[in-house]
Amino acid sequence: MSGSEYRDVVRLENIQMHYGNVQALSDINFAVGRNEIVGLIGDNGAGKSTLIKIMTGVERPTAGNLYIRDKKVDWEGYSVGRAHELRFETVYQEKSLGEKQPLWRNFFVGRQITNRLGFIKVKQQKQIANDVLLNQIGFRGAGIDADSPVAQLSGGERQGVAIGRAMHFDSDLIVLDEPTVALAITEVRKVLDFVRGIKESGRACVYIEHNLAHVHELADRLVVLDRGRVVREIHKGEMSLAELTSALIDLQHAKVETAEAGS
Ligand SMILES: Nc1ncnc2c1ncn2[C@@H]1O[C@H](COP(=O)(O)OP(=O)(O)OP(=O)(O)O)[C@@H](O)[C@H]1O
Ligand SMILES: [Mg+2]
């Protein structure tokens, strides 16, 4: 992690995003502090994924500014690769791991450790992968090590490998877009523990999640998006889960009423 001083690992200012006639994001101001876990919540189509795509260099916004570690970044030079270099890691739900390969290979995809002749240092890579699996993300007792094939892992464990990889590569910010979607309950628990590990390791995280109980438990701050706008921010401890749930239901009702008034 970076030793330099900064307040926000990432900050987006006045972001607008149009897809043709669709205004996916309007006037978004969104920041993530160092070692802060921010839960991003909101209905389907609220703009959550669009926001993190802009943050991680997948998409360029129609307008707005980006600051990384408090320094303004030019969109021209910003890309997924550049975000990587700036130590942002994104974990995607879908198919991020190669099924037939052993874990350690997946761990080092695109970032092989090689010697001067370009040969891959297999032993060293296995050792690192094992260390991260056992000590950093706590794959204890599961009988899984760097040689296990990915096909043998449960959905939650796969997410764990992806998160462990992100942690190993010296990331300051880890972005998770619904990491628990389509997982069994026992698997979800594992992923929540991995997210806790991100916090404990001193990194920051943006965590998109539909399950309110999960983000309420883990996030230092919740940001609620609604139809492309930030409509609410809630700090840890400010609301119980029941209060949060009812606040979001109230928001829904207000939305239905405005829609009816407008029709
Ligand atoms: N590539 C695209 N082209 C056109 N419209 C898009 C594109 N990507 C997103 N949108 C639109 O932008 C809006 C926000 O979508 P986004 O995927 O960011 O929502 P989300 O909050 O992540 O939703 P979900 O919870 O369903 O994942 C939606 O209206 C969506 O249809
Ligand atoms: Mg989404």
Side-chain angles (χ1 to χ4, degrees):
M1 266 159 290
S2 163
S4 63
E5 287 306 309
Y6 58 86
R7 188 188 60 185
D8 296 325
V9 63
V10 66
R11 186 157 67 85
L12 292 165
E13 186 183 76
N14 299 330
I15 296 290
Q16 318 289 337
M17 185 63 170
H18 300 268
Y19 291 109
N21 288 331
V22 179
Q23 176 123 23
L25 297 173
S26 314
D27 300 321
I28 296 282
N29 289 292
F30 178 83
V32 182
R34 31 187 337 155
N35 197 206
E36 189 181 31
I37 308 285
V38 178
L40 196 51
I41 56 181
D43 276 353
N44 293 114
K48 306 179 294 295
S49 295
T50 304
L51 183 59
I52 64 150
K53 281 178 188 158
I54 290 170
M55 193 187 299
T56 57
V58 178
E59 306 248 23
R60 194 167 297 178
T62 317
N65 298 318
L66 167 69
Y67 297 83
I68 294 181
R69 296 184 193 80
D70 304 334
K71 289 200 187 78
K72 194 169 174 188
V73 174
D74 190 350
W75 294 113
E76 278 307 312
Y78 198 56
S79 62
V80 172
R82 186 69 190 128
H84 240 136
E85 286 166 15
L86 292 166
R87 297 191 300 278
F88 287 8
E89 290 276 344
T90 311
V91 174
Y92 297 99
Q93 175 69 32
E94 333 77 53
K95 294 273 172 208
S96 56
L97 304 175
E99 284 290 312
K100 288 189 178 137
Q101 292 179 330
L103 269 183
W104 67 270
R105 282 229 179 252
N106 273 282
F107 216 84
F108 289 97
V109 155
R111 289 159 154 158
Q112 302 288 358
I113 303 172
T114 52
N115 66 14
R116 279 181 303 142
L117 298 173
F119 290 109
I120 293 168
K121 291 187 166 178
V122 172
K123 197 170 159 204
Q124 191 184 351
Q125 291 189 175
K126 281 191 188 182
Q127 269 168 2
I128 291 171
N130 265 328
D131 178 61
V132 174
L133 292 174
L134 298 177
N135 302 322
Q136 288 210 45
I137 55 173
F139 266 35
R140 278 176 287 268
I144 290 163
D145 63 20
D147 287 310
S148 307
V150 168
Q152 207 175 308
L153 301 186
S154 68
E157 288 162 349
R158 283 166 206 230
Q159 287 299 107
V161 170
I163 294 170
R165 179 168 59 183
M167 284 170 55
H168 173 69
F169 287 106
D170 216 19
S171 51
D172 284 338
L173 176 73
I174 298 180
V175 178
L176 306 170
D177 193 349
E178 301 201 58
T180 62
V181 85
L183 294 182
I185 292 165
T186 50
E187 293 300 303
V188 169
R189 255 305 126 199
K190 291 180 195 166
V191 174
L192 299 184
D193 287 340
F194 299 139
V195 177
R196 223 171 262 117
I198 295 174
K199 173 81 181 173
E200 284 161 9
S201 73
R203 293 164 173 82
C205 175
V206 177
Y207 178 26
I208 298 182
E209 173 65 69
H210 271 111
N211 187 308
L212 291 183
H214 299 161
V215 269
H216 182 265
E217 178 183 329
L218 289 171
D220 296 312
R221 185 161 51 95
L222 295 174
V223 172
V224 187
L225 278 188
D226 182 35
R227 290 166 293 174
R229 289 177 190 275
V230 173
V231 291
R232 193 87 205 243
E233 252 185 88
I234 300 150
H235 289 265
K236 196 179 186 81
E238 195 179 309
M239 285 186 185
S240 66
L241 177 59
E243 286 163 342
L244 172 67
T245 309
S246 83
L248 293 178
I249 291 170
D250 288 348
L251 206 67
Q252 279 298 333
H253 286 163
K255 189 159 124 181
V256 171
E257 277 160 23
T258 14
E260 281 170 355
S263 64

